[in-house]
Amino acid sequence: MRSFAYHRATDVPGALRAITAEPNAKFLGGGTNLVDLMRATVEQPGTIVDISRLPLTEVEELPDGGVRVGALVRNSALAAHPLIRTRYPVLTQAVLAGASAQLRNMATVGGNLLQRTRCPYFYDQASACNKREPGSGCDALGGFNRGHAILGTGESCIATHPSDLCVALAALDATVEVESLRGLRRLPLTEFHRLPGDTPAVETELAADELITAIELPPLPFAANSRYRKVRDRASYAFALVSVAAALEVRDNTVTSVRLALGGVAGKPWRATEAERSLLGAPATDDSFHTAADAELAPAVGREHNAFKIELARRTITATLRQLASRSAA
C-alpha cells in the first residue's frame, strides 16, 4: 500500500471541502472495498477523507410512505430494520446474501453502491484491463470468463457489478441523493451506474467531488411480496453467478404490478424492463414467465466459459416469479 494523507471529517460541508481541495482524494466509509483496492495498488489516493463519523446513519419513514436510508447506515443494520424487513423484504434478503457477517457490520449502504468489480483481471496488475488501465485491452475476453457478463457488454470490458444490494435497489426504483459544494441532486439508481461502452473505467455518474448522502425508497406496497434469489458456487461469501430481485402483484391470475432486476449478468445492476413489459397484464403462469425471461435475455451474449448463464438466468427468473405468484394468490 502506498502512503497517503489522512483527514477526518466531522460534518458534510467539511467533507466536501476536503475532497474538493485535493484532486486525488477518496472518501472512506466502511473501507471494505477501498482498503483492499489500495493494498492491491489498484486505487492509490493521495488523501483519504474519513467520513465514518458523519451524521448519515438514520433510517427514516418519509411522509409519502417511502423510506430514507442514510448513506452510512451499516448493511447489517439496514437488513434488520423493521421498515425494511416488512415493506421491502427483497432488500433484507439481498443484503444478507452478500459477504460475511463481519463485513456487513462494517460496510455502508453508500459504499456498497461504489463497489468495484471482482473481475480477477482487474485486480491482477500483470493483466490487460481497460477498467484499471484505459486502452490496455481486456484479457477476460479470451481468458477464464465464467463469472463475467452476458448483457450490455462490448469488446472493451465484460466485468460484472458485484453488489447484491444494488440489484434490489434497482428493482425498487430507489433514488440516490448526492451532495457537493455546488448543491444537492438526485439520480435514479438505475441511472447511477454506467455500462462499460468505450469507457469502462468510468463506472458511475458520480463526480469526484460528490458525496452520496442517502438512498430513498418510494412507497411500493406490493413490494411486501418480493424475493431476492442468488445462485452462486457455494452457500456463503461468494458473488452471484446470477441473481434476481423481484416484486410481484397478481389479481385474478393476472400480473398487475411487477419489478424485476438481475445481478451477476452485466456491468451494472440490470433492470429487466423488457421482462416487465411482457409480464404486465399477462396470466401469472409459467408460460408467461418463460416468455418474459426470453424477452429480457434475447440480446445476451455468452462466451466460452459463461454461456451457461443465459439458461441459468432464464430458470432463476421463472422460479422466482413462480414463487411470488403463488404467494400473491394465497
Side-chain angles (χ1 to χ4, degrees):
M1 184 183 292
R2 308 287 174 83
S3 61
F4 56 88
Y6 176 83
H7 175 85
R8 173 173 286 165
T10 56
D11 54 34
V12 170
L16 296 175
R17 286 193 296 272
I19 205 78
T20 303
E22 169 53 62
N24 188 27
K26 291 280 185 181
F27 289 125
L28 179 76
T32 53
N33 188 207
L34 178 59
V35 173
D36 281 348
L37 292 168
M38 290 171 67
R39 285 175 178 152
T41 68
V42 175
E43 295 274 11
Q44 300 179 47
T47 299
I48 287 293
V49 180
D50 184 347
I51 58 170
S52 62
R53 298 189 182 184
L54 299 187
L56 302 172
T57 58
E58 298 296 319
V59 178
E60 307 166 278
E61 184 174 16
L62 298 171
D64 66 357
V67 173
R68 186 177 191 274
V69 180
L72 292 178
V73 171
R74 303 291 176 177
N75 283 3
S76 53
L78 179 72
H81 197 283
L83 284 174
I84 303 301
R85 292 177 60 191
T86 56
R87 298 185 185 182
Y88 313 98
V90 64
L91 200 50
T92 290
Q93 294 163 18
V95 171
L96 295 180
S100 65
Q102 292 89 340
L103 285 172
R104 293 195 295 268
N105 287 338
M106 282 298 295
T108 64
V109 171
N112 200 298
L113 270 59
L114 300 177
Q115 280 191 86
R116 305 201 69 186
T117 182
R118 263 57 176 187
C119 173
Y121 300 99
F122 174 69
Y123 278 81
D124 180 8
Q125 299 282 356
S127 297
C129 174
N130 289 320
K131 188 180 286 294
R132 173 171 37 76
E133 186 178 346
S136 63
C138 175
D139 277 351
L141 289 170
F144 184 63
N145 44 40
R146 182 171 183 273
H148 289 74
I150 56 174
L151 288 166
T153 61
E155 293 304 304
S156 66
C157 180
I158 56 171
T160 54
H161 192 271
S163 170
D164 295 294
L165 170 66
C166 289
V167 181
L169 292 175
L172 293 170
D173 286 328
T175 300
V176 186
E177 178 186 285
V178 303
E179 193 168 339
S180 70
L181 294 180
R182 300 182 302 283
L184 183 146
R185 66 183 180 121
R186 291 182 171 84
L187 300 85
L189 190 282
T190 51
E191 297 175 16
F192 180 82
H193 299 97
R194 298 175 53 154
L195 288 173
D198 295 327
T199 55
V202 183
E203 297 173 331
T204 73
E205 298 295 332
L206 192 72
D209 63 345
E210 287 183 314
L211 173 67
I212 299 171
T213 49
I215 310 296
E216 289 189 359
L217 301 166
L220 206 64
F222 76 93
N225 184 40
S226 59
R227 171 76 197 274
Y228 186 73
R229 185 185 290 260
K230 180 177 181 179
V231 182
R232 49 189 163 178
D233 282 330
R234 57 181 185 273
S236 66
Y237 205 48
F239 295 97
L241 292 170
V242 167
S243 67
V244 173
L248 187 72
E249 181 181 57
V250 175
R251 294 181 182 173
D252 299 326
N253 200 39
T254 299
V255 175
T256 53
S257 302
V258 60
R259 297 288 187 278
L260 192 67
L262 309 179
V265 297
K268 61 180 286 185
W270 187 267
R271 180 65 180 268
T273 53
E274 291 300 324
E276 290 178 352
R277 272 192 282 270
S278 173
L279 285 165
L280 273 177
T285 63
D286 270 13
D287 284 346
S288 297
F289 303 153
H290 285 304
T291 299
D294 287 343
E296 193 62 46
L297 295 167
V301 176
R303 298 181 186 272
E304 181 179 2
H305 303 289
N306 72 350
F308 73 96
K309 280 191 173 189
I310 298 174
E311 180 61 21
L312 182 61
R314 181 180 290 110
R315 294 186 184 201
T316 309
I317 290 169
T318 300
T320 306
L321 293 172
R322 183 190 302 128
Q323 182 184 27
L324 291 175
S326 174
R327 286 184 191 169
S328 187

